[in-house]
Amino acid sequence: MTCPLCAEDGGALVWRGERLRVIRAQEAGFPAFYRVVWNAHVAEFSDLAAADRAHCMEAVTLVEQALRQHLSPTKVNIAALGNMVPHLHWHVIARFDWDSHFPAPVWATAQRPSPAAQEAAVRALLPALEAQLQSQLAQWAAR
Ligand SMILES: [Zn+2]
């Protein structure tokens, strides 16, 4: 069986480095749902060497900071599950008190309809967020 994260980016590619990439997932109801995907196929975080773990979490941190700066979310959720696709990836998700699942996890049952206007307002901020994030990740990777 082919691993989907080995075969494809796994979403809209924001940035790709030598060791990892950042993608925006297409998850209905969650416009600012990003993933940091390790490029090589490893299943568990502890499969990475210490330097690679630090590298991975610094990328997660940069994504989280971009979400906070541009979107002022109620909360940022970070998670690594991999039950469906056992290829290391971190979810970095901007959560809002108006979103369809808040305060439950995005994988729980929806509690209310997703408000289209608020979602659209977040979506409108993503080009600037992603442009700045691309630039920051490129500068970070070049250090
Ligand atoms: Zn894989």
Side-chain angles (χ1 to χ4, degrees):
M1 197 180 78
T2 310
C3 168
L5 290 179
C6 285
E8 293 177 2
D9 290 336
L13 185 67
V14 175
W15 183 80
R16 175 185 290 278
E18 284 183 19
R19 284 181 270 181
L20 56 80
R21 60 189 182 267
V22 176
I23 62 107
R24 177 167 27 82
Q26 328 281 328
E27 297 285 350
F30 303 101
F33 191 137
Y34 292 86
R35 293 192 181 106
V36 173
V37 182
W38 197 252
N39 286 335
H41 187 97
V42 299
E44 304 293 355
F45 191 54
S46 57
D47 289 337
L48 299 181
D52 285 341
R53 293 197 297 270
H55 184 84
C56 188
M57 293 322 285
E58 184 59 19
V60 169
T61 303
L62 288 169
V63 175
E64 179 185 300
Q65 286 173 334
L67 298 185
R68 294 181 70 187
Q69 183 182 343
H70 287 264
L71 308 179
S72 300
T74 308
K75 187 71 184 73
V76 178
N77 289 170
I78 294 174
L81 301 173
N83 301 339
M84 303 289 287
V85 180
H87 175 137
L88 181 63
H89 57 282
W90 284 88
H91 304 277
V92 188
I93 312 159
R95 299 298 308 279
F96 300 91
D97 56 11
W98 47 258
D99 78 38
S100 56
H101 290 56
F102 200 88
V106 300
W107 299 282
T109 305
Q111 308 201 359
R112 63 188 75 84
S114 197
Q118 277 149 310
E119 260 191 63
V122 170
R123 202 165 275 116
L125 298 172
L126 299 184
L129 182 163
E130 291 177 10
Q132 191 193 24
L133 183 57
Q134 284 163 353
S135 145
Q136 286 177 334
L137 286 163
Q139 284 175 21
W140 164 67
R143 284 207 300 262

